[in-house]
Amino acid sequence: EILRVRTRSGREVRCSAGHRFRTLSGWRELGDLCPGDLVAVPRTLPASFMGNASVTMDEARLFGYLISDGSYIRHRSIGYAKADPFLVEEVERIAMSSFGIEARRRKPRGGPANELDLCGPGTGPGSNTMIQWLKAHGIYGQRGQEKRVPVAVFEAGNAIIATFLGALWSGDGCVVRRPKGGWCLKFTSTSRKLLLDVQHLLLRLSILSSVGKPERNSKSTMDIATLMVSSREQVLNFARAIHLPGVKGPKLEMAEVEMQSAGSNERWDRLPL
């Protein structure tokens, strides 16, 4: 029998009842544990190999932009929509410099977002170099709830991972000031697997996070879950390791300055009294 264990921070492992977990009283089998017991989890995942150089910095940025605010489903042109003009210009620049594609701006369908079609002359079926690139990395055709981090990003060095996460967070992520003081970082998605991928990548940069339970509000047609970086120490780790391009960057810098003088409020990574 295979069981799925989920920790309070959202991590998951599938194993048998005889699988051992490290607890405060030593190694214990899953069958001997109860909900609420404390188990050890990693604070960081150091890379034990040389980073794969198959992904460039610009490609890492484009992956982040498209996964957060882009569309690359089959039988349609690749699209990108964002209100932040800096990010739109970044996507236009990378499309031209890396793929020779001159992005076409569409008339907004309502709201402040700028919309791009990443296609153009000579980029029809079978000849769009960006589509071929997405296919080579195994993510072309994914809808919002199916989106994942490409394998090549996991195989890259930490500098590439930090660049990817910064671009990704600049889309569906946010930097939030708490009503009672302090800051937290949130990333929301309909793809739980994407959130678990991001949680794993954050560990490569020694950043602890939690993934909440999927929920559905009155405006959503599918479950939405949120990854959160909530404690002072982890927000500072994030701000020191990851740069957010666009309008969210100054908010992260403000959060870093204020959190440096704040007290600790660690919730997930602590031992009981």
PDB file of all heavy atoms in Angstrom, residues 241-265:
ATOM      1  N   ALA A 241      18.713  37.004  -2.573  1.00  0.00           N
ATOM      2  CA  ALA A 241      19.069  36.066  -3.641  1.00  0.00           C
ATOM      3  C   ALA A 241      18.398  36.368  -4.970  1.00  0.00           C
ATOM      4  O   ALA A 241      18.925  36.012  -6.027  1.00  0.00           O
ATOM      5  CB  ALA A 241      18.716  34.629  -3.206  1.00  0.00           C
ATOM      6  N   ILE A 242      17.215  37.007  -4.929  1.00  0.00           N
ATOM      7  CA  ILE A 242      16.388  37.124  -6.131  1.00  0.00           C
ATOM      8  C   ILE A 242      16.051  38.585  -6.392  1.00  0.00           C
ATOM      9  O   ILE A 242      15.597  39.299  -5.495  1.00  0.00           O
ATOM     10  CB  ILE A 242      15.087  36.305  -5.970  1.00  0.00           C
ATOM     11  CG1 ILE A 242      15.431  34.817  -5.796  1.00  0.00           C
ATOM     12  CG2 ILE A 242      14.156  36.504  -7.162  1.00  0.00           C
ATOM     13  CD1 ILE A 242      14.230  33.949  -5.453  1.00  0.00           C
ATOM     14  N   HIS A 243      16.247  39.007  -7.628  1.00  0.00           N
ATOM     15  CA  HIS A 243      15.861  40.352  -8.060  1.00  0.00           C
ATOM     16  C   HIS A 243      14.546  40.263  -8.825  1.00  0.00           C
ATOM     17  O   HIS A 243      14.396  39.423  -9.721  1.00  0.00           O
ATOM     18  CB  HIS A 243      16.937  40.957  -8.958  1.00  0.00           C
ATOM     19  CG  HIS A 243      16.487  42.172  -9.704  1.00  0.00           C
ATOM     20  ND1 HIS A 243      16.241  43.389  -9.078  1.00  0.00           N
ATOM     21  CD2 HIS A 243      16.198  42.372 -11.024  1.00  0.00           C
ATOM     22  CE1 HIS A 243      15.851  44.271  -9.976  1.00  0.00           C
ATOM     23  NE2 HIS A 243      15.810  43.679 -11.163  1.00  0.00           N
ATOM     24  N   LEU A 244      13.584  41.126  -8.472  1.00  0.00           N
ATOM     25  CA  LEU A 244      12.315  41.170  -9.183  1.00  0.00           C
ATOM     26  C   LEU A 244      12.345  42.295 -10.202  1.00  0.00           C
ATOM     27  O   LEU A 244      12.422  43.469  -9.838  1.00  0.00           O
ATOM     28  CB  LEU A 244      11.152  41.401  -8.210  1.00  0.00           C
ATOM     29  CG  LEU A 244      10.886  40.339  -7.147  1.00  0.00           C
ATOM     30  CD1 LEU A 244       9.578  40.645  -6.418  1.00  0.00           C
ATOM     31  CD2 LEU A 244      10.833  38.949  -7.759  1.00  0.00           C
ATOM     32  N   PRO A 245      12.286  41.986 -11.501  1.00  0.00           N
ATOM     33  CA  PRO A 245      12.231  43.049 -12.505  1.00  0.00           C
ATOM     34  C   PRO A 245      10.874  43.723 -12.513  1.00  0.00           C
ATOM     35  O   PRO A 245       9.877  43.140 -12.085  1.00  0.00           O
ATOM     36  CB  PRO A 245      12.478  42.291 -13.819  1.00  0.00           C
ATOM     37  CG  PRO A 245      12.025  40.890 -13.549  1.00  0.00           C
ATOM     38  CD  PRO A 245      12.295  40.634 -12.095  1.00  0.00           C
ATOM     39  N   GLY A 246      10.837  44.957 -12.969  1.00  0.00           N
ATOM     40  CA  GLY A 246       9.564  45.650 -13.090  1.00  0.00           C
ATOM     41  C   GLY A 246       9.139  46.345 -11.813  1.00  0.00           C
ATOM     42  O   GLY A 246       9.935  46.608 -10.911  1.00  0.00           O
ATOM     43  N   VAL A 247       7.851  46.622 -11.705  1.00  0.00           N
ATOM     44  CA  VAL A 247       7.318  47.458 -10.629  1.00  0.00           C
ATOM     45  C   VAL A 247       7.381  46.801  -9.259  1.00  0.00           C
ATOM     46  O   VAL A 247       7.294  47.491  -8.235  1.00  0.00           O
ATOM     47  CB  VAL A 247       5.863  47.871 -10.942  1.00  0.00           C
ATOM     48  CG1 VAL A 247       5.794  48.702 -12.210  1.00  0.00           C
ATOM     49  CG2 VAL A 247       4.959  46.642 -11.061  1.00  0.00           C
ATOM     50  N   LYS A 248       7.511  45.487  -9.193  1.00  0.00           N
ATOM     51  CA  LYS A 248       7.535  44.821  -7.897  1.00  0.00           C
ATOM     52  C   LYS A 248       8.916  44.848  -7.246  1.00  0.00           C
ATOM     53  O   LYS A 248       9.047  44.571  -6.047  1.00  0.00           O
ATOM     54  CB  LYS A 248       7.044  43.376  -8.033  1.00  0.00           C
ATOM     55  CG  LYS A 248       5.579  43.294  -8.451  1.00  0.00           C
ATOM     56  CD  LYS A 248       5.129  41.887  -8.729  1.00  0.00           C
ATOM     57  CE  LYS A 248       3.684  41.885  -9.252  1.00  0.00           C
ATOM     58  NZ  LYS A 248       3.214  40.542  -9.638  1.00  0.00           N
ATOM     59  N   GLY A 249       9.943  45.171  -8.030  1.00  0.00           N
ATOM     60  CA  GLY A 249      11.295  45.222  -7.485  1.00  0.00           C
ATOM     61  C   GLY A 249      11.453  46.219  -6.346  1.00  0.00           C
ATOM     62  O   GLY A 249      11.977  45.867  -5.275  1.00  0.00           O
ATOM     63  N   PRO A 250      11.006  47.485  -6.501  1.00  0.00           N
ATOM     64  CA  PRO A 250      11.140  48.448  -5.405  1.00  0.00           C
ATOM     65  C   PRO A 250      10.399  48.023  -4.133  1.00  0.00           C
ATOM     66  O   PRO A 250      10.849  48.312  -3.025  1.00  0.00           O
ATOM     67  CB  PRO A 250      10.546  49.726  -6.004  1.00  0.00           C
ATOM     68  CG  PRO A 250      10.753  49.592  -7.475  1.00  0.00           C
ATOM     69  CD  PRO A 250      10.569  48.130  -7.755  1.00  0.00           C
ATOM     70  N   LYS A 251       9.250  47.342  -4.279  1.00  0.00           N
ATOM     71  CA  LYS A 251       8.523  46.879  -3.094  1.00  0.00           C
ATOM     72  C   LYS A 251       9.345  45.832  -2.340  1.00  0.00           C
ATOM     73  O   LYS A 251       9.382  45.823  -1.104  1.00  0.00           O
ATOM     74  CB  LYS A 251       7.172  46.285  -3.486  1.00  0.00           C
ATOM     75  CG  LYS A 251       6.142  47.302  -3.932  1.00  0.00           C
ATOM     76  CD  LYS A 251       4.770  46.687  -4.091  1.00  0.00           C
ATOM     77  CE  LYS A 251       4.176  46.291  -2.750  1.00  0.00           C
ATOM     78  NZ  LYS A 251       2.781  45.795  -2.888  1.00  0.00           N
ATOM     79  N   LEU A 252      10.025  44.941  -3.077  1.00  0.00           N
ATOM     80  CA  LEU A 252      10.862  43.940  -2.420  1.00  0.00           C
ATOM     81  C   LEU A 252      12.043  44.605  -1.726  1.00  0.00           C
ATOM     82  O   LEU A 252      12.425  44.210  -0.613  1.00  0.00           O
ATOM     83  CB  LEU A 252      11.347  42.912  -3.441  1.00  0.00           C
ATOM     84  CG  LEU A 252      12.227  41.784  -2.892  1.00  0.00           C
ATOM     85  CD1 LEU A 252      11.470  40.972  -1.844  1.00  0.00           C
ATOM     86  CD2 LEU A 252      12.707  40.880  -4.012  1.00  0.00           C
ATOM     87  N   GLU A 253      12.616  45.626  -2.347  1.00  0.00           N
ATOM     88  CA  GLU A 253      13.719  46.352  -1.715  1.00  0.00           C
ATOM     89  C   GLU A 253      13.248  47.041  -0.434  1.00  0.00           C
ATOM     90  O   GLU A 253      13.961  47.050   0.578  1.00  0.00           O
ATOM     91  CB  GLU A 253      14.285  47.382  -2.698  1.00  0.00           C
ATOM     92  CG  GLU A 253      14.955  46.757  -3.915  1.00  0.00           C
ATOM     93  CD  GLU A 253      15.342  47.774  -4.953  1.00  0.00           C
ATOM     94  OE1 GLU A 253      15.132  48.989  -4.707  1.00  0.00           O
ATOM     95  OE2 GLU A 253      15.860  47.380  -6.021  1.00  0.00           O
ATOM     96  N   MET A 254      12.043  47.608  -0.445  1.00  0.00           N
ATOM     97  CA  MET A 254      11.488  48.238   0.743  1.00  0.00           C
ATOM     98  C   MET A 254      11.263  47.200   1.840  1.00  0.00           C
ATOM     99  O   MET A 254      11.562  47.443   3.022  1.00  0.00           O
ATOM    100  CB  MET A 254      10.164  48.924   0.396  1.00  0.00           C
ATOM    101  CG  MET A 254       9.543  49.729   1.537  1.00  0.00           C
ATOM    102  SD  MET A 254       7.892  50.350   1.097  1.00  0.00           S
ATOM    103  CE  MET A 254       8.259  51.222  -0.430  1.00  0.00           C
ATOM    104  N   ALA A 255      10.753  46.035   1.444  1.00  0.00           N
ATOM    105  CA  ALA A 255      10.524  44.969   2.419  1.00  0.00           C
ATOM    106  C   ALA A 255      11.834  44.520   3.055  1.00  0.00           C
ATOM    107  O   ALA A 255      11.909  44.304   4.276  1.00  0.00           O
ATOM    108  CB  ALA A 255       9.835  43.782   1.748  1.00  0.00           C
ATOM    109  N   GLU A 256      12.892  44.431   2.251  1.00  0.00           N
ATOM    110  CA  GLU A 256      14.190  44.010   2.782  1.00  0.00           C
ATOM    111  C   GLU A 256      14.703  45.004   3.819  1.00  0.00           C
ATOM    112  O   GLU A 256      15.172  44.617   4.899  1.00  0.00           O
ATOM    113  CB  GLU A 256      15.196  43.874   1.646  1.00  0.00           C
ATOM    114  CG  GLU A 256      16.573  43.439   2.118  1.00  0.00           C
ATOM    115  CD  GLU A 256      17.582  43.343   0.994  1.00  0.00           C
ATOM    116  OE1 GLU A 256      17.276  43.818  -0.123  1.00  0.00           O
ATOM    117  OE2 GLU A 256      18.683  42.826   1.239  1.00  0.00           O
ATOM    118  N   VAL A 257      14.597  46.297   3.516  1.00  0.00           N
ATOM    119  CA  VAL A 257      15.088  47.322   4.442  1.00  0.00           C
ATOM    120  C   VAL A 257      14.317  47.262   5.759  1.00  0.00           C
ATOM    121  O   VAL A 257      14.902  47.291   6.851  1.00  0.00           O
ATOM    122  CB  VAL A 257      14.966  48.721   3.803  1.00  0.00           C
ATOM    123  CG1 VAL A 257      15.256  49.803   4.834  1.00  0.00           C
ATOM    124  CG2 VAL A 257      15.917  48.843   2.626  1.00  0.00           C
ATOM    125  N   GLU A 258      12.998  47.159   5.681  1.00  0.00           N
ATOM    126  CA  GLU A 258      12.182  47.160   6.897  1.00  0.00           C
ATOM    127  C   GLU A 258      12.349  45.879   7.697  1.00  0.00           C
ATOM    128  O   GLU A 258      12.347  45.906   8.932  1.00  0.00           O
ATOM    129  CB  GLU A 258      10.713  47.377   6.531  1.00  0.00           C
ATOM    130  CG  GLU A 258      10.428  48.764   5.968  1.00  0.00           C
ATOM    131  CD  GLU A 258       8.949  48.993   5.745  1.00  0.00           C
ATOM    132  OE1 GLU A 258       8.130  48.176   6.238  1.00  0.00           O
ATOM    133  OE2 GLU A 258       8.591  49.991   5.075  1.00  0.00           O
ATOM    134  N   MET A 259      12.492  44.738   7.023  1.00  0.00           N
ATOM    135  CA  MET A 259      12.594  43.458   7.726  1.00  0.00           C
ATOM    136  C   MET A 259      13.951  43.282   8.402  1.00  0.00           C
ATOM    137  O   MET A 259      14.089  42.479   9.321  1.00  0.00           O
ATOM    138  CB  MET A 259      12.337  42.306   6.764  1.00  0.00           C
ATOM    139  CG  MET A 259      10.917  42.267   6.201  1.00  0.00           C
ATOM    140  SD  MET A 259       9.661  41.897   7.449  1.00  0.00           S
ATOM    141  CE  MET A 259       9.683  40.104   7.413  1.00  0.00           C
ATOM    142  N   GLN A 260      14.952  44.008   7.958  1.00  0.00           N
ATOM    143  CA  GLN A 260      16.268  43.892   8.585  1.00  0.00           C
ATOM    144  C   GLN A 260      16.238  44.326  10.043  1.00  0.00           C
ATOM    145  O   GLN A 260      17.020  43.835  10.864  1.00  0.00           O
ATOM    146  CB  GLN A 260      17.297  44.718   7.803  1.00  0.00           C
ATOM    147  CG  GLN A 260      17.724  44.064   6.501  1.00  0.00           C
ATOM    148  CD  GLN A 260      18.653  44.943   5.686  1.00  0.00           C
ATOM    149  OE1 GLN A 260      18.775  46.147   5.932  1.00  0.00           O
ATOM    150  NE2 GLN A 260      19.306  44.354   4.701  1.00  0.00           N
ATOM    151  N   SER A 261      15.342  45.251  10.376  1.00  0.00           N
ATOM    152  CA  SER A 261      15.268  45.745  11.749  1.00  0.00           C
ATOM    153  C   SER A 261      14.095  45.140  12.519  1.00  0.00           C
ATOM    154  O   SER A 261      13.855  45.500  13.671  1.00  0.00           O
ATOM    155  CB  SER A 261      15.135  47.274  11.747  1.00  0.00           C
ATOM    156  OG  SER A 261      13.982  47.684  11.027  1.00  0.00           O
ATOM    157  N   ALA A 262      13.359  44.216  11.894  1.00  0.00           N
ATOM    158  CA  ALA A 262      12.208  43.607  12.554  1.00  0.00           C
ATOM    159  C   ALA A 262      12.635  42.390  13.365  1.00  0.00           C
ATOM    160  O   ALA A 262      13.698  41.814  13.142  1.00  0.00           O
ATOM    161  CB  ALA A 262      11.155  43.206  11.519  1.00  0.00           C
ATOM    162  N   GLY A 263      11.800  41.995  14.312  1.00  0.00           N
ATOM    163  CA  GLY A 263      12.070  40.805  15.100  1.00  0.00           C
ATOM    164  C   GLY A 263      11.724  39.545  14.324  1.00  0.00           C
ATOM    165  O   GLY A 263      11.025  39.571  13.318  1.00  0.00           O
ATOM    166  N   SER A 264      12.221  38.420  14.813  1.00  0.00           N
ATOM    167  CA  SER A 264      11.969  37.148  14.144  1.00  0.00           C
ATOM    168  C   SER A 264      10.535  36.697  14.384  1.00  0.00           C
ATOM    169  O   SER A 264       9.983  36.870  15.472  1.00  0.00           O
ATOM    170  CB  SER A 264      12.945  36.082  14.670  1.00  0.00           C
ATOM    171  OG  SER A 264      12.649  34.824  14.111  1.00  0.00           O
ATOM    172  N   ASN A 265       9.929  36.110  13.352  1.00  0.00           N
ATOM    173  CA  ASN A 265       8.571  35.576  13.490  1.00  0.00           C
ATOM    174  C   ASN A 265       8.452  34.210  12.808  1.00  0.00           C
ATOM    175  O   ASN A 265       7.474  33.898  12.157  1.00  0.00           O
ATOM    176  CB  ASN A 265       7.537  36.542  12.902  1.00  0.00           C
ATOM    177  CG  ASN A 265       7.713  36.730  11.400  1.00  0.00           C
ATOM    178  OD1 ASN A 265       8.799  36.506  10.868  1.00  0.00           O
ATOM    179  ND2 ASN A 265       6.652  37.134  10.721  1.00  0.00           N
TER     180      ASN A 265
END
